[in-house]
Amino acid sequence: MRATHLFTITTLIAAAVSLSSVARAEEPEELLELGYGHPGNNRLSVSGGMLEGERPWTPDGDVAVDPNVNPNPVPPTPVATPLVEPKEKYNRAVGWVTYEYYSFWDKTRFDTLVGTEFLVGAGYLTPEKADPERVIERSANWSKPHLKAEFAFDYAPIHWGGGLPGRLVFGLGAGAELGSYWQNEDGRTYPLVAGRAQLFPNQSFGIHLAYHWMPTCTGNYKVREHRYEATVALGSWQLGVHGTETRVLDASDTALMSRHLGGLIGYTF
């Protein structure tokens, strides 16, 4: 009986020591500073998808009317109150090519990580197809080519090693986009709040979740935007999905918004 008790106690002590060593284990030094994991800090990616939403009904003078559609479409009748603008649904295809740099350069005395992220991208948005379907004139303000740049300081208050290294990251920065949507004529600047969760099961596999929040922006309307991304890293390649929800804050009808959903393929180095 005593032998059994001694064996049980020894086993529990050994398990406790083992778990303690795993919990305190440092993540590999080569992973500490690498934003995207073992392949490196840089990512070149291509993404594409569809954007659809609701915007104010566009008067006749701003669009070229499809000859197969009623040449004088009648806007919906405002209901309940004159503050409610007539709306129409629209959609357009979206594609981006982006370069991103994401890295940690220092480990603080509190065992936290400090770093930065930087993004530049070029995109193309097809002309809007509205309801009823109409084609935007070439002289309209909703531009098709877009350029953007974003920068943020990152802080990882929690990171761990052991058998499943990972980190939680928060960031704060700003961005600018050159190119117009219906809610802004020429471009916009905006603050950014970022969050990331990453797991690195081994050197050839990783899981990356990212969130970026644009609380407001410059332009004709104040716009709030939420961006989501989920990717799986297979060696140097990343495959995933991303989505954006954009909501107009100060339009007379607060339901004006759009959603974008697409796929992403990236190469990290």
Side-chain angles (χ1 to χ4, degrees), residues 160-230:
W160 60 92
L164 188 62
R167 64 172 73 102
L168 296 177
V169 184
F170 300 94
L172 187 64
E177 184 172 347
L178 181 62
S180 58
Y181 302 91
W182 69 262
Q183 67 266 27
N184 61 275
E185 292 182 358
D186 301 312
R188 60 185 182 182
T189 59
Y190 45 88
L192 271 181
V193 178
R196 295 178 183 269
Q198 297 173 283
L199 290 174
F200 306 100
N202 57 55
Q203 294 193 12
S204 60
F205 180 68
I207 299 171
H208 301 260
L209 304 176
Y211 168 71
H212 288 76
W213 178 44
M214 184 181 81
T216 187
C217 72
T218 61
N220 302 73
Y221 291 87
K222 297 297 182 294
V223 173
R224 178 173 295 160
E225 198 164 88
H226 303 269
R227 304 177 194 164
Y228 309 89
E229 181 185 303

Side-chain angles (χ1 to χ4, degrees), residues 53-247:
E54 290 185 324
R55 58 167 167 74
W57 177 83
T58 307
D60 254 354
D62 292 342
V63 296
V65 179
D66 189 325
N68 298 317
V69 179
N70 179 1
N72 297 298
V74 179
T77 302
V79 295
T81 168
L83 292 178
V84 177
E85 298 177 355
K87 300 180 299 181
E88 63 183 356
K89 294 183 178 180
Y90 73 98
N91 63 78
R92 61 197 311 189
V94 181
W96 283 91
V97 176
T98 58
Y99 164 76
E100 297 161 84
Y101 176 81
Y102 169 43
S103 176
F104 295 91
W105 71 74
D106 192 20
K107 188 174 181 180
T108 72
R109 59 178 295 183
F110 304 106
D111 198 32
T112 57
L113 300 174
V114 179
T116 188
E117 58 183 273
F118 175 73
L119 175 152
V120 291
Y124 185 85
L125 286 71
T126 62
E128 291 180 355
K129 293 183 178 179
D131 180 20
E133 286 195 358
R134 291 172 290 164
V135 181
I136 297 295
E137 289 180 346
R138 294 184 179 180
S139 59
N141 288 326
W142 297 290
S143 64
K144 292 172 286 216
H146 284 235
L147 297 173
K148 67 178 176 182
E150 296 177 354
F151 176 84
F153 289 104
D154 289 328
Y155 181 63
I158 302 175
H159 63 99
W160 60 92
L164 188 62
R167 64 172 73 102
L168 296 177
V169 184
F170 300 94
L172 187 64
E177 184 172 347
L178 181 62
S180 58
Y181 302 91
W182 69 262
Q183 67 266 27
N184 61 275
E185 292 182 358
D186 301 312
R188 60 185 182 182
T189 59
Y190 45 88
L192 271 181
V193 178
R196 295 178 183 269
Q198 297 173 283
L199 290 174
F200 306 100
N202 57 55
Q203 294 193 12
S204 60
F205 180 68
I207 299 171
H208 301 260
L209 304 176
Y211 168 71
H212 288 76
W213 178 44
M214 184 181 81
T216 187
C217 72
T218 61
N220 302 73
Y221 291 87
K222 297 297 182 294
V223 173
R224 178 173 295 160
E225 198 164 88
H226 303 269
R227 304 177 194 164
Y228 309 89
E229 181 185 303
T231 58
V232 173
L234 304 171
S236 295
W237 294 95
Q238 285 195 348
L239 300 173
V241 295
H242 65 102
T244 303
E245 180 181 273
T246 304
R247 188 173 294 274

Side-chain angles (χ1 to χ4, degrees), residues 29 38 185 188 248:
E29 285 300 321
H38 294 281
E185 292 182 358
R188 60 185 182 182
V248 178

Side-chain angles (χ1 to χ4, degrees), residues 1-16:
M1 196 69 171
R2 291 180 179 176
T4 303
H5 288 167
L6 182 60
F7 175 78
T8 302
I9 293 172
T10 304
T11 302
L12 291 175
I13 293 175

